[in-house]
Amino acid sequence: MKFTFDRNSMINEISIAQEIITSKSSLSSMSNVLLIAENNSLTIKATDTKVNFQTKIPVDIETEGSVSMKCDKFMVILGALPEGEIEFNLQQKDNAITAVIKHSQKKIKFQLKCMPTERFPEFDRADDVGFFDVPAKDLRSMILQTSFAVSTDESRLFMNGVYFENTESHLALVATDGRRLAYCSKNILENEDSFSSALVHPKVLNIIAKHSSDEGNISIAIIDKMIFFRFANYELSSILLDGPFPNYKRVIPENQPNKFGLDRAEFLSAIRRISIMIDKKVGRIYLNITPGVLKIYSQETDIGDAKEEIPCEYAGEDVTIAMNCRPLEDPLKVMTSERITFEFSEPLKPVTLKPEPAEDFFHIIMPMQLE
């Protein structure tokens, strides 16, 4: 196996592979990347058994072949090499496989020990699966508005993913951790029978959001217990999570008579300042809403407290709501509108956060007890 490749092009793809693989696995192959050189292109594969990644880049092949090697070490080597063409030559001696990696113009050489490809896991294929297309820009936006809200509690597997739902040609993405809910729905499905509901691992979604562009489409297929994505020169797949997703529609308030509007960036900055003085274990901050003024403050502790006032549009009675700082801050970071609206009914009932003017998403946050 011998080929030449562009150093920068390889770094772009191996960095994504590095996001996929896990160093915690007891299986050494789970920390490896698989390289297959054939037909003047290099196929790159990586997996953590839950999420699979595959891409192709053009290379100049002298001898075809395949090899499996440590992804993190290969990435470090690539980062240490100067830009330009890199020579990759696989050598086998005394049952040992070694990749010789050299710069084509400078006297730099690395030798990296490798593994046989037989130990690398097989990927589920989607050759005969029916894909449907959605605009890449829309899917990226939907992922950003929802994926941060999934639960990280592994005992609640049914909340560890983003729920994909098909309703009357609308694609809806929903995520919740029990304290908050993120919802986004767009009319982007041509065929309302395109797929069944699925609970998708956020890792594969975050990689799509990070590495896809706003141009073109992303192709999706759901079959059995797998979901497949295709865009640009990338193919990703992931095992679907088990368990029934909560009936999220019961959480969405039907009537919230009170609301106030304010500047999103100003509010986010104020929350970050107030959070300096909160009890990190509890995370509680207070919102005191009065006509024209929102007072944000922390509870007094041994180290002190913080208070700030910012203008808001509100015409109701004075009310105070206690909220956890992080579930409040997270949606504000991914929203892009200049102004936002809070809708609420009572201090201990769910609060709905929306962009102003309203768009195709919203965030619901459960308040905390007042203390």
Side-chain angles (χ1 to χ4, degrees), residues 135-147:
K137 182 177 182 180
D138 289 331
L139 184 60
R140 289 182 71 248
S141 172
M142 297 177 75
I143 292 171
L144 292 173
Q145 289 296 334
T146 55
S147 63

Side-chain angles (χ1 to χ4, degrees), residues 275-287:
S275 67
I276 295 172
M277 303 301 291
I278 65 173
D279 182 339
K280 301 300 182 182
K281 292 181 179 179
V282 180
R284 183 185 285 106
I285 64 170
Y286 296 88
L287 308 180

